[in-house]
């Protein structure tokens, strides 16, 4: 909403969620866990009001308006993460050489990719949990960025440059994201 030289966006705080600010760092606690994020920006302010969080900017430029929308989305993602969580579903696809995927420590180990002898690894970030059940890989967590980057790491570990992707379709691919609703 724009009011005479000011843009402001508000987000209602969901039930069961507590929000606190320590300087520019916002901490959000909910039933699934706790997230914190630094919202330091010279022109955009994030404040906690009565049952809502407001993101505002005085006399915004075009980039400031964009930043208000970006910070609004970050706060909304934090609220959804601590209440519902996020999950990415991936599928292991192979045609000739059966891949073996396992979680070992803080990373995913992929063996026998395209018949290769050296294992490939993908790091698991943040507080994400990765579960492997046959050809299905599930990534769950409360931080959308950590879950998304973990899924991207797994996908990247099985990419092969110089090959036609229409012919060589072996790999591990994202097939569903919990926050993307199909209509």
């Amino acid at each position: 909403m724009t009011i005479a030289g000011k843009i402001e966006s508000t987000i209602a705080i969901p039930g069961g969620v507590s929000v606190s600010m320590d300087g520019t760092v916002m901490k959000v606690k909910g039933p699934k866990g706790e997230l914190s994020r630094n919202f330091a920006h010279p022109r955009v302010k994030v404040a906690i009001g009565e049952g809502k969080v407001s993101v505002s900017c005085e006399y915004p430029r075009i980039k400031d308006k964009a930043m208000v929308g970006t910070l609004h989305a970050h706060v909304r993602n934090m609220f959804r993460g601590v209440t519902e969580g996020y999950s990415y579903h991936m599928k292991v696809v192979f045609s000739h050489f059966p891949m073996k995927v396992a979680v070992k420590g803080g990373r995913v180990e992929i063996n026998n990719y395209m018949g290769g002898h050296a294992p490939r690894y993908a790091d698991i970030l943040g507080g994400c949990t990765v579960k492997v059940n046959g050809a299905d890989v599930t990534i769950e967590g409360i931080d959308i960025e950590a879950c998304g980057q973990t899924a991207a790491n797994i996908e990247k570990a099985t990419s092969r440059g110089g090959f036609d992707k229409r012919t060589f379709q072996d790999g591990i691919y994202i097939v569903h994201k919990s926050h993307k609703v199909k209509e």
Side-chain angles (χ1 to χ4, degrees):
M1 174 166 82
T2 307
I3 302 172
K6 180 177 182 176
I7 186 169
E8 184 174 19
S9 180
T10 59
I11 308 112
I13 299 173
V17 174
S18 64
V19 183
S20 64
M21 287 287 282
D22 183 21
T24 58
V25 177
M26 176 184 283
K27 291 185 180 175
V28 178
K29 269 189 193 178
K32 292 227 176 225
E34 180 179 348
L35 288 172
S36 66
R37 187 178 189 102
N38 189 355
F39 288 107
H41 192 274
R43 299 194 26 90
V44 179
K45 306 292 181 234
V46 179
I48 301 170
E50 299 171 8
K52 64 181 180 176
V53 174
S54 66
V55 182
S56 62
C57 180
E58 296 281 337
Y59 303 106
R61 299 177 194 142
I62 292 173
K63 289 186 178 184
D64 297 334
K65 287 181 183 179
M67 186 56 68
V68 167
T70 299
L71 297 185
H72 174 94
H74 286 316
V75 172
R76 191 179 62 235
N77 287 341
M78 290 172 74
F79 287 163
R80 180 163 182 196
V82 297
T83 55
E84 301 172 25
Y86 293 99
S87 66
Y88 282 71
H89 300 282
M90 303 181 82
K91 194 67 128 175
V92 178
V93 178
F94 56 87
S95 57
H96 296 92
F97 301 102
M99 271 188 274
K100 295 180 187 123
V101 181
V103 177
K104 299 217 174 156
R107 59 188 186 172
V108 176
E109 183 179 69
I110 303 154
N111 286 309
N112 202 35
Y113 174 70
M114 296 292 282
H117 297 288
R120 294 173 177 234
Y121 298 100
D123 291 331
I124 301 172
L125 302 178
C128 295
T129 58
V130 178
K131 296 175 188 156
V132 179
N133 185 11
D136 297 322
V137 179
T138 306
I139 302 161
E140 294 178 338
I142 61 172
D143 187 0
I144 189 171
E145 292 178 12
C147 290
Q149 188 60 53
T150 300
N153 290 346
I154 294 171
E155 233 178 25
K156 180 73 175 160
T158 59
S159 67
R160 268 182 92 165
F163 287 84
D164 189 357
K165 291 181 182 179
R166 296 169 295 181
T167 306
F168 298 95
Q169 296 181 355
D170 292 16
I172 304 174
Y173 302 104
I174 298 171
V175 293
H176 182 262
K177 302 175 186 178
S178 67
H179 59 283
K180 299 287 185 182
V181 179
K182 291 183 180 178
E183 294 187 26

